[in-house]
Amino acid sequence: MASRKVPVVSDSDKKILVCGETAGRTLDSMTIEAVACAERAAEMTGASVTLALPCADVHEFDIMSGGGINVIALTNPLLKLYSAAGYIAAMERAVRETSPELVLIPGTSRGNDFAPALAVRLGAVFVPGVASLKEDGGSLVFTRSCWHGKAEMELKQAPGLTVATIQPGSFAGPAHRRVRAMVHEIKIDLAIGDTVPEGEIRAVGEADSGLRNAEVIVSAGRGIGRVENLALLEETASLFARSAVGASRPVCDYGWLPYGRQIGQTGKQVSPKLYMACGISGSPQHIAGMKSSANIVAVNIDPEAPIFRYAHAGVVADLTEFLRAFIDLVREKKKTGR
Amino acid sequence: MKVLVCLCQVCDGEAAFSIAPDGLSVVPSERVAWRMNRYDEFALEEALRLKDSGIAQRVDALSVGPLRTLSTLRKALETGADDAALIRLDRPAFPAEKAGLIASHAAGREYDLILAGVMSEQGLSGATGPMIAACLGIPFATAALRLEAGPLARLVRVEREIDSATREAFTLTLPALVTVQSGINRPRYPSLSNVMRAKTQEIGIIDPAPPAAFQETPASAVYRMPDRGHAGLIIRGTAGEAAEELYRWLHGRSLL
Ligand SMILES: Cc1cc2nc3c(=O)[nH]c(=O)nc-3n(C[C@H](O)[C@H](O)[C@H](O)COP(=O)(O)OP(=O)(O)OC[C@H]3O[C@@H](n4cnc5c(N)ncnc54)[C@H](O)[C@@H]3O)c2cc1C
Ligand SMILES: Nc1ncnc2c1ncn2[C@@H]1O[C@H](COP(=O)(O)O)[C@@H](O)[C@H]1O
């Protein structure tokens, strides 16, 4: 197998490797975000960016990029289906080819699956869930959320190799122009090992939750306390036209609402005119699904809840008391026509 | 089958805390109540179900942490774990270090299946599980929403979550590690007989030998409070006053 180094667009010897996931002929939206993140890091450090695509075969990809980007495809027929072992082998090879200082991996379900193990295999520092980047004395500083989303941790890039995942929704900057990149193919060896993938399973007949078309979403979090309190959220939603009730994950885990109503990283991504989060703390995984809403209102009893950092209007109150008062007030105003 | 469940102790998200003046640690207020990480409750329940169905013969619980972590391990015994051990570590550690400690403890103890939560609610890393597997060189799958094992075959089948509408399935050869996503089951409450048994059961405390496998920690980690974000309107007051103020705000934006 050829082990010549990949030609680089920039003459810098600093390199950032991004791992991509492909969705057919286009790149997965999180990969586009990861490339945007890498390009921001490259601007700060003068590094060049290489996109590594573990895949079954090479074809042309449309890549959104701000500038020149190297693309290597790590190919093997077994990579038709995702497996951690396959992606780790492909990325280890890509690291050997490019000798990067930083490997950026989209914080998708699969990225979160293999990235920590890849870091161990490479003896790299691992930084999970990077939400923003800055530069300090020529080094990158990663910011990530911690302590229930209430505090942030800043990690300065250490010498050697760092593997980082990117918190979804954090680098979704303006769309870049489309470039058609040259893809350099590297065929890799893989054997079916002790992990055998069967492929994807789609949930059948997931009820249309009405979230997609809703202009107003009133969302329930664990803070509603009891399933009976959902009625208050439904009543609140009914005050608005074209509204729906959404939820954070625990509300669906408890079986209070179906998973079709879940909003967030692993649920629906919504951007209604008004998003009203009731009893939702604002974890990075929930924020990923609603942060682009035009107007965000949060109702939470904890003034320090992270959701208030994203809210355009925040009500610090017990949600049951507040929503009862709010429902009565709006009904009264509607009745009196003002 | 012998199962190890990795449990971490967390405090509630509402608990008060501060950041140490040097920025090097987060200090929870003294009155904080510590409890089991919720994802680990799901992992423990999954292990106990394997035992209920006769597939697992033994379920051990393991934590890395200071002595206060014993209360969470005690809870695991009350819930039905057979045995529990604490690897004592009095300072916070990054996932890589915890994984190294857990892996060197598990190595040689012949666990067929190691279960962990998908993420710590407090640290939000989601890294310790797959790192343990990488240290041990065993197959793994994260974010499981279904776990199937038979009494004989040295295999487990896992459905892992991609998103709320999509999963992907894998068959892993044992020994293997699986991290469990919330919603996979409904965790049980402790039974009276287990509570009685757990009262007198000893929990082994292990002073960590230097981790053999892997110990790569970030050079510098500094904690800080996040920026305020949107300087949004903050509404306080009685429920009636707050309702009135939010109404005006929404009305001003033609949302109501
Ligand atoms: C891989 C992965 C994917 C995930 N995907 C998602 C996802 O898609 N969507 C999602 O939502 N989560 C997701 N999660 C879970 C996420 O990490 C959080 O655990 C979850 O969002 C927390 O939900 P919550 O805010 O409702 O609950 P909590 O964090 O428990 O917050 C409850 C809030 O209610 C407030 N409260 C309590 N009582 C009252 C009251 N009486 N009145 C007003 N407020 C009150 C509290 O102050 C608190 O802020 C995911 C996790 C993982 C690991
Ligand atoms: N201190 C610990 N002791 C034992 N297991 C842990 C510890 N920290 C994390 N884990 C396990 O690893 C999972 C993920 O944690 P984290 O990587 O910190 O998000 C948790 O759900 C636990 O199962």
Side-chain angles (χ1 to χ4, degrees):
Chain A
M1 220 166 291
S3 64
R4 83 194 140 85
K5 297 273 175 193
V6 174
V8 288
V9 174
S10 147
D11 56 4
S12 161
D13 54 355
K14 284 191 179 168
K15 294 186 190 69
I16 299 172
L17 187 65
V18 183
C19 178
E21 282 178 45
T22 60
R25 282 194 172 272
T26 53
L27 291 179
D28 177 89
S29 63
M30 259 310 292
T31 300
I32 294 168
E33 219 179 305
V35 170
C37 173
E39 289 182 340
R40 197 159 310 165
E43 271 169 33
M44 292 173 186
T45 59
S48 66
V49 178
T50 300
L51 176 63
L53 298 171
C55 50
D57 50 54
V58 198
H59 41 78
E60 278 184 344
F61 291 101
D62 285 336
I63 291 163
M64 307 297 254
S65 161
I69 186 166
N70 307 300
V71 184
I72 52 178
L74 295 306
T75 61
N76 183 293
L78 288 177
L79 289 171
K80 201 170 163 63
L81 293 180
Y82 167 79
S83 75
Y87 266 55
I88 287 170
M91 289 307 293
E92 282 186 300
R93 181 61 193 276
V95 165
R96 279 210 303 281
E97 291 288 330
T98 53
S99 312
E101 273 104 60
L102 175 61
V103 179
L104 288 173
I105 296 171
T108 58
S109 168
R110 289 168 178 170
N112 292 336
D113 188 58
F114 77 87
L118 175 69
V120 171
R121 297 270 310 193
L122 294 169
V125 169
F126 182 61
V127 184
V130 172
S132 68
L133 281 177
K134 63 180 186 191
E135 186 256 350
D136 179 19
S139 300
L140 287 172
V141 179
F142 309 100
T143 302
R144 60 178 302 268
S145 194
C146 64
W147 202 265
H148 302 270
K150 284 186 166 177
E152 282 176 356
M153 187 193 279
E154 287 188 345
L155 291 151
K156 194 165 186 173
Q157 190 178 358
L161 180 61
T162 298
V163 173
T165 57
I166 296 164
Q167 179 55 41
S170 305
F171 293 90
H176 286 300
R177 71 195 158 83
R178 204 172 272 268
V179 294
R180 183 141 293 185
M182 286 284 297
V183 179
H184 173 83
E185 183 183 10
I186 301 168
K187 291 191 162 70
I188 62 165
D189 291 326
L190 277 183
I192 296 183
D194 39 24
T195 309
V196 181
E198 282 172 32
E200 289 188 11
I201 309 164
R202 297 215 145 254
V204 277
E206 196 200 1
D208 173 28
S209 52
L211 290 175
R212 285 255 186 272
N213 300 321
E215 288 184 356
V216 175
I217 296 176
V218 180
S219 260
R222 199 191 322 259
I224 68 166
R226 308 182 292 141
V227 64
E228 291 76 19
N229 285 334
L230 266 182
L232 279 174
L233 281 95
E234 272 150 16
E235 277 180 65
T236 306
S238 72
L239 303 171
F240 301 88
R242 303 188 61 139
S243 62
V245 173
S248 70
R249 181 174 187 115
V251 169
C252 304
D253 288 338
Y254 293 140
W256 295 347
L257 281 173
Y259 282 104
R261 302 282 185 104
Q262 183 189 319
I263 289 162
Q265 187 175 313
T266 47
K268 300 254 181 326
Q269 278 93 56
V270 296
S271 49
K273 270 193 201 156
L274 173 63
Y275 188 85
M276 199 160 156
C278 305
I280 294 179
S281 62
S283 66
Q285 293 79 20
H286 188 80
I287 299 296
M290 44 61 77
K291 87 191 253 193
S292 59
S293 305
N295 292 282
I296 298 172
V297 171
V299 183
N300 199 304
I301 202 162
D302 176 6
E304 307 296 329
I307 189 79
F308 287 127
R309 296 204 303 271
Y310 303 89
H312 304 97
V315 182
V316 182
D318 173 84
L319 69 91
T320 51
E321 281 176 28
F322 171 77
L323 289 181
R324 275 197 201 104
F326 183 72
I327 293 162
D328 289 347
L329 177 89
V330 177
R331 289 214 175 119
E332 190 56 35
K333 300 254 186 204
K334 286 193 171 172
K335 214 174 349 174
T336 57
R338 49 177 308 259
Chain B
M1 186 189 274
K2 205 173 142 187
V3 183
L4 178 68
V5 188
C6 303
L7 304 174
C8 68
Q9 189 179 55
V10 299
C11 64
D12 264 321
E14 284 88 81
F17 70 96
S18 59
I19 290 172
D22 60 6
L24 298 180
S25 58
V26 174
V27 187
S29 94
E30 268 168 30
R31 297 190 320 279
V32 159
W34 295 91
R35 59 165 171 83
M36 193 184 295
N37 184 34
R38 287 204 181 88
Y39 297 98
D40 303 354
E41 293 178 357
F42 290 102
L44 176 61
E45 176 62 28
E46 213 50 29
L48 296 175
R49 286 182 185 204
L50 289 172
K51 203 180 157 198
D52 292 346
S53 59
I55 293 165
Q57 281 70 50
R58 187 191 161 108
V59 173
D60 289 350
L62 178 67
S63 283
V64 178
L67 289 177
R68 64 167 154 72
T69 318
L70 289 170
S71 66
T72 292
L73 289 166
R74 183 81 52 203
K75 182 74 182 289
L77 293 173
E78 291 172 353
T79 312
D82 295 293
D83 206 354
L86 172 69
I87 300 176
R88 185 172 172 182
L89 194 67
D90 289 335
R91 55 178 171 79
F94 282 100
E97 190 184 358
K98 292 188 287 184
L101 290 167
I102 293 170
S104 30
H105 176 85
R109 282 188 167 78
E110 298 190 333
Y111 288 107
D112 302 286
L113 183 63
I114 303 179
L115 295 178
V118 69
M119 185 176 90
S120 148
E121 293 173 73
Q122 195 168 295
L124 307 174
S125 298
T128 307
M131 284 184 159
I132 296 168
C135 290
L136 291 169
I138 59 175
F140 68 92
T142 60
L145 282 175
R146 195 184 173 105
L147 176 66
E148 296 164 296
L152 296 175
R154 299 280 303 151
L155 300 170
V156 285
R157 182 176 175 279
V158 178
E159 288 178 17
R160 62 179 304 276
E161 175 180 65
I162 295 182
D163 56 41
S164 57
T166 325
R167 299 177 181 187
E168 58 188 353
F170 295 91
T171 304
L172 308 178
T173 306
L174 299 178
L177 181 142
V178 176
T179 78
V180 171
Q181 175 59 299
S182 65
I184 186 175
N185 55 38
R186 297 278 158 83
R188 70 190 65 186
Y189 293 103
S191 68
L192 187 60
S193 62
N194 281 327
V195 172
M196 296 310 288
R197 177 179 58 87
K199 269 198 167 64
T200 53
Q201 196 169 344
E202 268 201 35
I203 298 177
I205 299 174
I206 301 150
D207 281 314
F214 178 76
Q215 190 178 16
E216 198 71 50
T217 43
S220 68
V222 180
Y223 294 89
R224 59 181 200 118
M225 292 309 287
D227 298 334
R228 261 290 294 134
H230 293 292
L233 172 70
I234 290 291
I235 301 172
R236 294 171 196 262
T238 66
E241 290 161 5
E244 184 74 48
E245 197 169 347
L246 183 66
Y247 176 83
R248 275 201 304 275
W249 188 87
L250 292 168
H251 193 68
R253 283 167 178 69
S254 311
L255 293 163
L256 245 185

